Amino acid sequence: MSFRRLLLSAQILLLMFSGATDVPAQTIERWSTFEVELAGPRDGNPFAEVELSAEFRCGDHLHRVDGFYDGDGIYRIRFMPYLDGGWEFTTHSNRPALDGKTGRFACTPPAPGNHGPVRVGGNCQFEYADGARCTCFGTTCYAWIHQPEQLQDQTIRTLASAPFNKLRMCIFPKNYAYNTNEPERYPFVKKTGGGFDLRRFAPDFWRNLERRIGQLRDLKIDADVILFHPYDEGRWGFDRMEAASDDFYLRYTIARLAAFRNVWWSVANEYDFMKSKNMGDWDRFFHILQKRDPYQHLRSIHNGSKWYDYGKPWVTHVSLQSSDLTGGVRLREQYHKPVVYDECCYEGNVEWLWGNITPEQMTQRFWDGILRGCYVGHGETYLDPKDILWWSKGGVLHGSSPHRIAFLRRIIEEAPAPLVPITNMFGWEHNAIAESGVPGRFYLIYFGQHQPARKDLPLPTDGRFEIEVIDTWNMTFTPLPGTYSGKCRIELPGKPYIALRIKRLDGSAVEALPPG
């Protein structure tokens, strides 16, 4: 056992047996959710009238975290520890029954597979908190938590074997084509006679949301939580709440969800279609997230027809709706932030152009975006006799692109280092090309819908390379005979959706790719 682990074990033993506290000492692994449960007043409206928070301290590290009322006289405070060792906390409240409660817990190293929350790393890329590479492959199921329990369970089972590790999902229910059923649960308490009490939350809804986010976490899937959206049209009124209710809802959401390591914040989907909000509102929501989220989870906002200014300092990454992925390199250079094409149209056959691209087109867009240094999101909208479309309700996947996306994800994860785009390999011909972090070591070249029968490659002269032809649709690798160096001509199948994987042989020196 290492000295560091011996020291940590001693700290844990000291913590467990030192001093009386109101909450028994516990142990919890790094980046998991520590929870304090307290009994408190039920009178009046505890959601709005009771203030509760706690200060968590580990050495010089101090964080103040908001608590929340969970109904039935139960209050909770959640915290995600990010440092190993002993932590202490003290509660603060305007109610004596909740004020001044103390406790301790020990944070232990994370279990295998627990890399912590996703953050922005170097070179406009995502990485995990422990520095591990994050290969983000997303999909969308907007209203899956608003469906019957069996359908929610089926969605989880589908995701367990799908290639996606990020899921875009709404908190508020959705009123839209192929999604008009009434949910079983709502974020707020229903008032007698109709409408909702926007000062009282419905704990049963939030517990189910948390359970589903926890299931996603266990599948190593991040929940890209959409906080607002325009798909209400007055049916419930959640898209046109007053500013005070918006802010009240946001603070409660952060208190309940921020301690989940797999949460991202999407302030809105198609924000510019919400006519009751203005730019000041959107900026204010970002500021609330910045102030109230002690872990600074990823934050962005998704466009309709008008882009938000992703250069604003409180935005961590670009979240786009666009079918043109060829500009990804330019966007990276413009914003100096990760670029995510969360919606690039949907594989399916519904009546709208955004929802009836072919599986070949969806697969191509993943290759086009990822080899330009961006991240791409999948979606599926195949007609169903029961109107269960994956993009909105989840269920099962029917399309052919997920298998090809899984194939691409394997290729990306097998690369020796995170890939970065390059544009100088063929001069004015800007194919989708990426190389590993060390220039001259590894290349992926994608030809998309083009079908060259041969290609001249300007490889580095100092070193030998092996080349594989990848059929991205049929998911095959065909090694080319021999090895290659410098300028060389290779023969290709002369059909679309072909890529090349080029690897420097072990022992070859590394030389940067010559321009042009």
Side-chain angles (χ1 to χ4, degrees), residues 271-285:
Y271 80 95
D272 49 314
F273 294 162
M274 293 185 67
K275 302 308 180 185
S276 64
K277 304 285 187 280
N278 58 44
M279 194 58 67
D281 294 318
W282 303 119
D283 291 350
R284 188 180 76 255
F285 298 156

Side-chain angles (χ1 to χ4, degrees), residues 326-367:
T326 61
V329 174
R330 175 184 57 79
L331 292 174
R332 282 165 47 96
E333 293 173 349
Q334 177 181 351
Y335 293 112
H336 303 289
K337 297 177 181 180
V339 175
V340 186
Y341 287 91
D342 278 310
E343 183 181 336
C344 62
C345 293
Y346 297 92
E347 176 189 348
N349 60 1
V350 295
E351 57 267 43
W352 301 287
L353 293 178
W354 55 259
N356 55 30
I357 67 171
T358 66
E360 291 88 350
Q361 289 173 308
M362 176 61 73
T363 303
Q364 176 180 349
R365 290 176 189 192
F366 265 80
W367 278 85

Side-chain angles (χ1 to χ4, degrees), residues 45-285:
N45 180 2
F47 294 104
E49 298 168 4
V50 177
E51 299 172 7
L52 176 63
S53 65
E55 287 183 345
F56 288 82
R57 183 185 296 275
C58 179
D60 295 333
H61 296 264
L62 177 67
H63 291 283
R64 191 178 184 98
V65 176
D66 291 331
F68 61 92
Y69 183 56
D70 198 26
D72 301 320
I74 298 299
Y75 295 79
R76 303 185 191 278
I77 306 169
R78 291 178 177 153
F79 183 68
M80 181 180 68
Y82 58 91
L83 287 176
D84 298 347
W87 286 83
E88 299 178 345
F89 68 86
T90 303
T91 67
H92 302 278
S93 178
N94 60 347
R95 299 296 177 95
L98 302 171
D99 188 50
K101 303 298 181 183
T102 60
R104 299 185 179 96
F105 68 91
C107 178
T108 59
N114 174 4
H115 298 290
V118 179
R119 65 186 184 188
V120 175
N123 204 19
C124 302
Q125 294 176 326
F126 294 127
E127 65 181 21
Y128 290 101
D130 66 354
R133 190 192 319 185
C134 176
T135 52
C136 178
F137 285 73
T139 189
T140 294
C141 294
Y142 285 126
W144 75 284
I145 64 162
H146 301 283
Q147 308 311 314
E149 200 76 10
Q150 290 183 338
L151 186 53
Q152 294 182 47
D153 291 339
Q154 186 179 55
T155 302
I156 289 291
R157 291 194 299 270
T158 299
L159 289 167
S161 58
F164 309 115
N165 56 7
K166 183 172 82 77
L167 181 71
R168 282 177 61 75
M169 53 184 285
C170 299
I171 291 182
F172 288 130
K174 183 180 179 184
N175 179 43
Y176 201 75
Y178 306 108
N179 187 184
T180 57
N181 56 303
E182 197 70 23
E184 296 179 1
R185 305 178 182 92
Y186 300 91
F188 298 98
V189 171
K190 269 190 165 183
K191 293 193 292 189
T192 303
F196 294 88
D197 185 344
L198 301 181
R199 302 295 285 176
R200 293 180 185 269
F201 296 98
D204 183 55
F205 168 87
W206 293 91
R207 292 173 197 148
N208 181 66
L209 171 61
E210 292 158 355
R211 180 168 65 96
R212 296 308 186 182
I213 290 177
Q215 289 176 316
L216 295 177
R217 177 199 58 210
D218 295 342
L219 293 174
K220 298 180 174 56
I221 298 173
D222 288 318
D224 195 355
V225 178
I226 298 169
L227 299 167
F228 295 94
H229 66 70
Y231 323 114
D232 188 309
E233 299 178 352
R235 181 170 170 181
W236 305 290
F238 302 140
D239 62 335
R240 57 198 66 190
M241 299 187 297
E242 295 181 351
S245 296
D246 286 336
D247 297 356
F248 185 60
Y249 152 74
L250 270 183
R251 292 194 298 270
Y252 190 79
T253 302
I254 296 165
R256 292 202 72 130
L257 302 185
F260 288 85
R261 66 174 174 266
N262 63 321
V263 161
W264 300 25
W265 303 121
S266 179
V267 174
N269 201 70
E270 297 186 325
Y271 80 95
D272 49 314
F273 294 162
M274 293 185 67
K275 302 308 180 185
S276 64
K277 304 285 187 280
N278 58 44
M279 194 58 67
D281 294 318
W282 303 119
D283 291 350
R284 188 180 76 255
F285 298 156

Side-chain angles (χ1 to χ4, degrees), residues 350-393:
V350 295
E351 57 267 43
W352 301 287
L353 293 178
W354 55 259
N356 55 30
I357 67 171
T358 66
E360 291 88 350
Q361 289 173 308
M362 176 61 73
T363 303
Q364 176 180 349
R365 290 176 189 192
F366 265 80
W367 278 85
D368 276 341
I370 289 172
L371 267 64
R372 288 180 169 87
C374 304
Y375 302 89
V376 185
H378 157 274
E380 184 182 289
T381 48
Y382 282 104
L383 293 171
D384 178 84
K386 296 183 178 179
D387 286 350
I388 302 175
L389 281 66
W390 175 262
W391 132 90
S392 190
K393 296 181 179 179

Side-chain angles (χ1 to χ4, degrees), residues 5 9 13 131 148 153 178 229 245 307 316 347 368 431 440 462:
R5 287 187 176 273
S9 298
L13 287 173
D153 291 339
Y178 306 108
H229 66 70
S245 296
W307 288 16
T316 60
E347 176 189 348
D368 276 341
N431 295 78
D462 186 8

